[in-house]
Amino acid sequence: MCAILDANVAHEVFTTNQTEAGRAFLCWLTRRQGRLVVGGKLRLELARHRAAERWIVEGIRAGRVRVAKNDDVDRLAEELAGSCRSDDPHIIALARISGARLLYSNDRALHQDFGNRDLLTHPRGKVFSTSETPRLTEVHQKLLNRADLCRRAD
């Protein structure tokens, strides 16, 4: 399964002060079948977080990170900009291009976009969020155990 990590939660995953949910997400990426997807503007946003950038570079080499073509993501993001409630059409574009349907983010407007069937379908996007609690919940665990949240790209 593949997932997208919003830059607004990178600190929860890639720092020594990880949240419990962030630690579980990183464990899922490194020890299980999880794959992180990056590309376009999101790749640049994550690169600003040194620990995330280091992990992504190592993850690319180890096959734990899939990289979408920046030009494709950026082009589709421009097309989607008017359809999104959030200011993150690049994340919706990345999901459509990569097929990733799991998003770790605490941006409520982006959560609405990611669950919008007009923007993402087959399967619809699911959100892993710690906005309400940094603890690992049963909902978080169920999302990490799903195997159907990655599909072929559009």
Side-chain angles (χ1 to χ4, degrees):
M1 184 169 74
C2 40
I4 297 170
L5 177 74
D6 192 359
N8 73 2
V9 291
H11 67 281
E12 293 187 15
V13 177
F14 298 111
T15 63
T16 55
N17 296 327
Q18 295 169 308
T19 61
E20 183 182 355
R23 189 171 29 260
F25 187 82
L26 183 60
C27 181
W28 173 78
L29 287 174
T30 56
R31 297 189 188 141
R32 295 178 60 199
Q33 291 80 14
R35 297 290 174 264
L36 187 64
V37 177
V38 297
K41 183 180 175 184
L42 180 62
R43 178 75 161 92
L44 298 174
E45 290 174 347
L46 289 171
R48 292 185 200 125
H49 191 286
R50 286 187 188 155
E53 175 62 11
R54 219 176 3 250
W55 190 92
I56 288 168
V57 169
E58 291 173 15
I60 291 168
R61 289 186 199 129
R64 290 187 302 267
V65 176
R66 292 178 28 198
V67 181
K69 292 181 183 176
N70 292 338
D71 292 341
D72 293 346
V73 175
D74 295 340
R75 190 172 17 261
L76 182 55
E78 285 180 34
E79 292 174 26
L80 292 171
S83 304
C84 295
R85 289 180 174 210
S86 72
D87 60 354
D88 294 309
H90 59 286
I91 291 181
I92 302 302
L94 180 59
R96 287 179 62 172
I97 287 170
S98 68
R101 292 299 187 267
L102 179 63
L103 170 69
Y104 186 174
S105 172
N106 286 338
D107 180 335
R108 292 186 192 274
L110 180 55
H111 296 177
Q112 290 179 342
D113 289 341
F114 210 76
N116 181 341
R117 58 178 76 197
D118 291 334
L119 296 174
L120 290 177
T121 58
H122 308 299
R124 286 179 56 199
K126 301 293 181 190
V127 176
F128 184 104
S129 176
T130 54
S131 345
E132 294 184 21
T133 178
R135 301 214 186 295
L136 182 66
T137 66
E138 187 176 327
V139 171
H140 293 134
Q141 200 61 54
K142 284 181 180 180
L143 286 171
L144 296 178
N145 287 334
R146 288 186 66 168
D148 65 334
L149 294 177
C150 192
R151 65 166 191 74
R152 289 201 180 275
D154 288 339

